[in-house]
Amino acid sequence: MITAPAPLTLAVMRYTVAAIFLLTTACAQIGLPGTERPDEAVVLAAPELSAPPPPANARTVDQFDTTTREQRVAAAAPAAGGTLLGTTVASLGDPSRPGFWIETPLAKTAGKGRLVYPANGKSTEVALIPSDASSSRVSLAALRLLDAPLTDLPVLEVYAR
């Protein structure tokens, strides 16, 4: 005969599950090894595509874009080629997330890639971050290098390396 668990047992199970969730979230927030998101691991693995976070009091585009001049020069001169994943309508991603990246449903795996803005022919090296969203989000630094409007929805070509 199977009996229902005692109310105290259910309460203990609920609190245990809640505690595990909170601890896992806290570990990810403070950056303990093994708790980073896959997209963060890609950017960290490619130092030329990453940058330090902006200051907490950042208010302007220049304050949010913490990439160095050398990083911008390197990212603005990507090698041609790669596999065309497709075109995407893109918007500005989280400006407090530094570096050169695109979150896109066109990427099935994380890695390096290249963006081309067909309106002016400019391109930039980026970290490709897979996304389940229906559109793409691009870093502030990448949109600036492409001379794409920050407040519009530019159409970009996405290439994988």
Side-chain angles (χ1 to χ4, degrees):
M1 176 197 280
I2 300 175
T3 60
L8 182 59
T9 305
L10 287 175
V12 168
M13 288 176 17
R14 285 186 186 128
Y15 285 115
T16 302
V17 169
I20 290 170
F21 173 77
L22 290 173
L23 285 172
T24 303
T25 303
C27 289
Q29 290 295 319
I30 62 173
L32 291 179
T35 59
E36 63 271 342
R37 295 187 334 227
D39 57 330
E40 290 174 328
V42 170
V43 175
L44 292 175
E48 70 278 9
L49 301 177
S50 63
N57 62 347
R59 298 290 176 261
T60 67
V61 171
D62 287 330
Q63 291 170 335
F64 275 103
D65 185 355
T66 59
T67 57
T68 65
R69 180 184 171 308
E70 292 79 18
Q71 287 173 312
R72 289 188 295 273
V73 167
T83 303
L84 177 64
L85 299 178
T87 59
T88 186
V89 174
S91 63
L92 175 63
D94 181 355
S96 67
R97 211 163 129 200
F100 301 95
W101 51 266
I102 181 172
E103 293 177 327
T104 180
L106 296 174
K108 302 305 176 209
T109 59
K112 286 186 178 183
R114 179 172 62 99
L115 297 179
V116 176
Y117 184 36
N120 63 14
K122 291 189 176 185
S123 65
T124 183
E125 191 85 18
V126 292
L128 295 177
I129 303 166
S131 170
D132 292 331
S134 59
S135 64
S136 300
R137 289 168 303 282
V138 181
S139 71
L140 175 66
L143 284 176
R144 288 182 78 189
L145 274 183
L146 294 171
D147 282 333
L150 301 179
T151 57
D152 285 348
L153 298 172
V155 175
L156 304 175
E157 295 173 354
V158 181
Y159 294 82
R161 295 272 179 221

